[in-house]
Coordinates of all heavy atoms in Angstrom, one line a residue:
R527 N 148.2 150.7 -30.8 CA 149.2 151.6 -30.1 C 150.5 151.7 -31.0 O 151.0 152.7 -31.2 CB 149.5 151.1 -28.7 CG 150.6 151.9 -28.0 CD 150.9 151.3 -26.7 NE 151.9 152.1 -26.0 CZ 152.5 151.8 -24.8 NH1 152.0 150.7 -24.2 NH2 153.4 152.5 -24.3
A528 N 150.9 150.5 -31.5 CA 152.1 150.5 -32.4 C 151.8 151.3 -33.7 O 152.8 152.0 -34.1 CB 152.4 149.1 -32.7
V529 N 150.6 151.3 -34.2 CA 150.3 152.1 -35.4 C 150.5 153.6 -35.1 O 151.0 154.3 -35.9 CB 148.9 151.8 -35.9 CG1 148.5 152.8 -37.0 CG2 148.8 150.3 -36.4
L530 N 149.9 154.0 -33.9 CA 150.1 155.4 -33.5 C 151.5 155.8 -33.3 O 151.9 156.9 -33.7 CB 149.3 155.6 -32.2 CG 147.7 155.5 -32.4 CD1 147.1 155.6 -31.0 CD2 147.2 156.5 -33.4
V531 N 152.3 154.9 -32.7 CA 153.7 155.2 -32.5 C 154.4 155.3 -33.8 O 155.2 156.2 -34.0 CB 154.4 154.1 -31.6 CG1 155.9 154.3 -31.5 CG2 153.8 154.2 -30.2
L532 N 154.2 154.4 -34.7 CA 154.8 154.4 -36.0 C 154.4 155.7 -36.8 O 155.3 156.3 -37.5 CB 154.4 153.2 -36.8 CG 155.1 153.1 -38.2 CD1 156.6 153.0 -38.2 CD2 154.6 151.8 -39.0
G533 N 153.2 156.0 -36.7 CA 152.7 157.2 -37.4 C 153.4 158.5 -36.9 O 153.8 159.3 -37.6
A534 N 153.4 158.6 -35.5 CA 154.1 159.7 -34.9 C 155.6 159.7 -35.3 O 156.2 160.8 -35.6 CB 153.9 159.7 -33.4
G535 N 156.2 158.5 -35.3 CA 157.6 158.5 -35.6 C 157.9 158.9 -37.1 O 158.9 159.5 -37.4
A536 N 156.9 158.5 -38.0 CA 157.1 158.9 -39.4 C 157.0 160.4 -39.5 O 157.8 161.0 -40.3 CB 155.9 158.3 -40.2
L537 N 156.1 161.1 -38.8 CA 156.0 162.5 -38.9 C 157.3 163.2 -38.3 O 157.8 164.2 -38.9 CB 154.8 163.0 -38.1 CG 153.4 162.7 -38.7 CD1 152.3 163.1 -37.7 CD2 153.2 163.3 -40.0
V538 N 157.8 162.7 -37.2 CA 159.0 163.2 -36.7 C 160.2 163.0 -37.6 O 161.0 164.0 -37.8 CB 159.3 162.5 -35.3 CG1 160.7 162.9 -34.8 CG2 158.3 162.9 -34.3
F539 N 160.3 161.9 -38.2 CA 161.3 161.6 -39.2 C 161.2 162.5 -40.4 O 162.3 163.1 -40.8 CB 161.3 160.1 -39.7 CG 162.3 159.8 -40.7 CD1 163.7 159.7 -40.3 CD2 162.0 159.4 -42.0 CE1 164.6 159.4 -41.3 CE2 162.9 159.1 -42.9 CZ 164.3 159.0 -42.5
A540 N 160.0 162.7 -40.9 CA 159.9 163.6 -42.1 C 160.2 165.0 -41.7 O 160.9 165.7 -42.5 CB 158.4 163.5 -42.6
E541 N 159.8 165.5 -40.5 CA 160.2 166.8 -40.1 C 161.7 167.0 -39.9 O 162.3 168.0 -40.2 CB 159.4 167.1 -38.8 CG 159.6 168.5 -38.3 CD 158.9 169.6 -39.2 OE1 158.0 169.2 -39.9 OE2 159.4 170.7 -39.1
A542 N 162.3 165.9 -39.3 CA 163.8 166.0 -39.1 C 164.5 166.1 -40.5 O 165.5 166.8 -40.6 CB 164.2 164.7 -38.4
L543 N 164.0 165.3 -41.5 CA 164.6 165.4 -42.8 C 164.5 166.8 -43.4 O 165.4 167.4 -44.0 CB 163.9 164.4 -43.8 CG 164.3 163.0 -43.6 CD1 163.4 162.1 -44.5 CD2 165.7 162.7 -43.8
L544 N 163.3 167.4 -43.2 CA 163.1 168.8 -43.7 C 164.0 169.8 -43.0 O 164.6 170.6 -43.7 CB 161.6 169.2 -43.5 CG 161.2 170.6 -44.0 CD1 161.5 170.7 -45.5 CD2 159.8 170.9 -43.7
I545 N 164.1 169.7 -41.7 CA 165.0 170.6 -41.0 C 166.5 170.4 -41.4 O 167.2 171.4 -41.6 CB 164.9 170.3 -39.5 CG1 163.4 170.8 -39.0 CG2 165.9 171.1 -38.7 CD1 163.1 170.4 -37.6
A546 N 166.9 169.1 -41.6 CA 168.2 168.9 -42.1 C 168.5 169.5 -43.4 O 169.6 170.1 -43.6 CB 168.4 167.4 -42.2
V547 N 167.5 169.4 -44.3 CA 167.7 170.1 -45.6 C 167.8 171.6 -45.5 O 168.7 172.2 -46.1 CB 166.6 169.7 -46.6 CG1 166.7 170.5 -47.9 CG2 166.6 168.2 -46.9
L548 N 167.0 172.2 -44.6 CA 167.0 173.6 -44.5 C 168.3 174.1 -43.8 O 168.8 175.2 -44.2 CB 165.8 174.0 -43.6 CG 164.4 173.8 -44.3 CD1 163.3 174.1 -43.3 CD2 164.2 174.8 -45.5
L549 N 168.8 173.3 -42.9 CA 169.9 173.8 -42.1 C 171.3 173.4 -42.7 O 172.2 174.1 -42.7 CB 169.9 173.3 -40.7 CG 168.7 173.8 -39.8 CD1 168.8 173.2 -38.4 CD2 168.7 175.3 -39.7
F550 N 171.3 172.2 -43.3 CA 172.6 171.6 -43.6 C 172.9 171.3 -45.1 O 174.0 171.2 -45.5 CB 172.9 170.4 -42.8 CG 172.8 170.5 -41.4 CD1 171.8 169.9 -40.7 CD2 173.7 171.3 -40.7 CE1 171.7 170.1 -39.3 CE2 173.6 171.5 -39.3 CZ 172.6 170.9 -38.6
A551 N 171.8 171.2 -45.9 CA 172.0 170.8 -47.3 C 172.7 171.9 -48.0 O 172.2 173.1 -48.0 CB 170.7 170.5 -47.9
P552 N 173.8 171.6 -48.7 CA 174.5 172.7 -49.4 C 173.7 173.1 -50.7 O 173.0 172.3 -51.2 CB 175.8 172.0 -49.8 CG 175.5 170.6 -49.9 CD 174.4 170.3 -48.9
R553 N 174.0 174.3 -51.1 CA 173.5 174.7 -52.4 C 174.2 173.8 -53.4 O 175.3 173.3 -53.2 CB 173.8 176.2 -52.7 CG 173.0 177.1 -51.8 CD 173.3 178.5 -52.2 NE 172.8 178.8 -53.5 CZ 171.5 179.2 -53.8 NH1 170.7 179.3 -52.8 NH2 171.2 179.5 -55.0
Q554 N 173.6 173.6 -54.6 CA 174.2 172.7 -55.5 C 175.6 173.2 -55.9 O 175.7 174.3 -56.5 CB 173.3 172.6 -56.8 CG 173.8 171.6 -57.8 CD 172.8 171.4 -58.9 OE1 171.6 171.4 -58.6 NE2 173.2 171.4 -60.1
P555 N 176.6 172.4 -55.7 CA 178.0 172.8 -56.0 C 178.3 172.9 -57.5 O 177.6 172.2 -58.3 CB 178.8 171.8 -55.3 CG 178.0 170.6 -55.3 CD 176.6 171.0 -55.1
R556 N 179.2 173.7 -57.8 CA 179.6 173.9 -59.2 C 181.1 173.3 -59.3 O 181.8 173.3 -58.3 CB 179.6 175.3 -59.6 CG 178.2 175.9 -59.6 CD 178.2 177.3 -60.1 NE 176.8 177.9 -60.1 CZ 176.5 179.1 -60.4 NH1 177.5 180.0 -60.7 NH2 175.3 179.6 -60.3

Side-chain angles (χ1 to χ4, degrees):
R527 179 181 178 184
V529 169
L530 294 176
V531 171
L532 181 60
L537 291 176
V538 171
F539 179 66
E541 185 67 24
L543 287 175
L544 179 60
I545 294 172
V547 174
L548 292 173
L549 295 180
F550 304 114
R553 294 182 64 85
Q554 184 172 319
R556 297 179 181 179

